[in-house]
Amino acid sequence: MDLGIRGRRALVTAASKGLGRGCAEALAAAGVDLILNARGPEALTATADDLATRHGVKITAIAADITTEAGRARVLDAAGPVDILVTNAGGPPPGLWSDWDREDFIRALDANMLTPIALMKATLPGMINRGWGRVVNITSQSVKSPIAQLGLSNAARAGLTGYVGGTARQVAPHGVTINNLLPGIHATDRADALDQGVVKAQSITLDEARAQRAATIPARRYGTAEEFGATCAFLCSTHAGFIIGQNILLDGGAFNATL
């Protein structure tokens, strides 16, 4: 399917690895020029070079901490006008409700709620003026079904979801869509980190920890960055203009609900 976005410009954050890279890969394959951001310059440069070589698109790589005001300013200045925004940031650490203090919540909110909001505020006016734009926020399945040990993530991402719910309806008349992608367990560094926690807690092997979690998913496997990226690219396409303010689960059927 031709996504109809060849020649568009997209900003993708946390794009050097995992789900962010999956989205960048799918957009590059669709002919979209990219501004890629991540904190680690080596992995980011390697990703940018690989995608540019294989897909023949223009790629600008900006190594910066997007959760800081200075980092956002650097990225947005280099990006210029963008047609597509994909926000992504690593989740806060797991723990118990009694572990977290105010500063822990502030850090989680900065990374997983306030940073995407700041990026939207910076890029939406240009999209509105041009009469076309796409925003996809990578959040979490925990928005639909809270994960007990991920209370910081549950709270921050739920706040972002509420903001998007209202904002998406305000910008839709201008040809701009905002939607959220809610990943379940995917084969990423984040999944590895959580699986390592199970390894330590239960004194089992990493393979056993992965098998244990995979058994909770009806698809009986972890998702891939490639299939996640394909869904992201579709939401950024010309075919998705009637999808407004939605929270789309990619969790292999793990969340059990009729609606």
Side-chain angles (χ1 to χ4, degrees):
M1 177 187 290
D2 182 358
L3 299 182
I5 51 177
R6 183 170 299 276
R8 296 285 190 182
R9 285 171 57 84
L11 168 59
V12 184
T13 67
S16 62
K17 300 178 182 178
L19 301 183
R21 173 163 180 157
C23 293
E25 174 93 36
L27 289 171
V32 176
D33 296 327
L34 299 172
I35 299 92
L36 302 183
N37 160 254
R39 281 180 289 188
E42 291 184 5
L44 180 62
T45 299
T47 294
D49 290 346
D50 178 52
L51 297 185
T53 298
R54 288 192 293 109
H55 299 293
V57 296
K58 298 176 184 177
I59 298 184
T60 302
I62 307 295
D65 184 352
I66 200 70
T67 68
T68 67
E69 187 173 350
R72 284 192 297 278
R74 282 189 58 209
V75 172
L76 290 167
D77 182 61
V82 296
D83 306 298
I84 296 167
L85 170 65
V86 180
T87 75
N88 183 32
L96 296 174
W97 62 270
S98 54
D99 294 336
W100 303 311
D101 296 320
R102 183 179 187 277
E103 290 307 312
D104 298 307
F105 281 98
I106 295 299
R107 282 190 291 271
L109 290 169
D110 274 339
N112 299 123
M113 176 182 167
L114 298 178
T115 290
I117 290 173
L119 291 171
M120 283 186 274
K121 287 186 68 177
T123 56
L124 284 172
M127 295 180 188
I128 290 169
N129 288 339
R130 292 186 296 274
W132 195 94
R134 299 286 185 265
V135 178
V136 175
N137 300 295
I138 301 176
T139 63
S140 170
Q141 67 176 350
S142 66
V143 170
K144 289 276 190 180
S145 181
I147 300 169
Q149 67 270 29
L150 298 182
L152 293 174
S153 179
N154 297 342
R157 297 188 195 278
L160 175 62
T161 303
Y163 176 86
V164 166
T167 304
R169 274 84 183 171
Q170 293 177 317
V171 302
H174 304 284
V176 179
T177 72
I178 310 176
N179 294 288
N180 302 321
L181 282 180
L182 284 55
I185 303 170
H186 284 69
T188 64
D189 290 347
R190 172 72 163 170
D192 287 344
L194 294 174
D195 287 338
Q196 287 290 354
V198 176
V199 167
K200 293 178 181 178
Q202 299 184 18
S203 298
I204 58 178
T205 68
L206 183 58
D207 285 343
E208 288 171 332
R210 287 172 177 161
Q212 189 178 102
R213 283 220 293 169
T216 68
I217 305 169
R220 294 297 187 267
R221 64 175 179 87
Y222 288 10
T224 69
E226 291 77 14
E227 58 196 351
F228 188 91
T231 306
C232 177
F234 178 77
L235 287 178
C236 296
S237 75
T238 58
H239 309 296
F242 209 55
I243 304 175
I244 306 293
Q246 298 304 301
N247 295 284
I248 299 173
L249 275 168
L250 289 90
D251 68 346
F255 178 63
N256 190 4
T258 303
L259 298 174

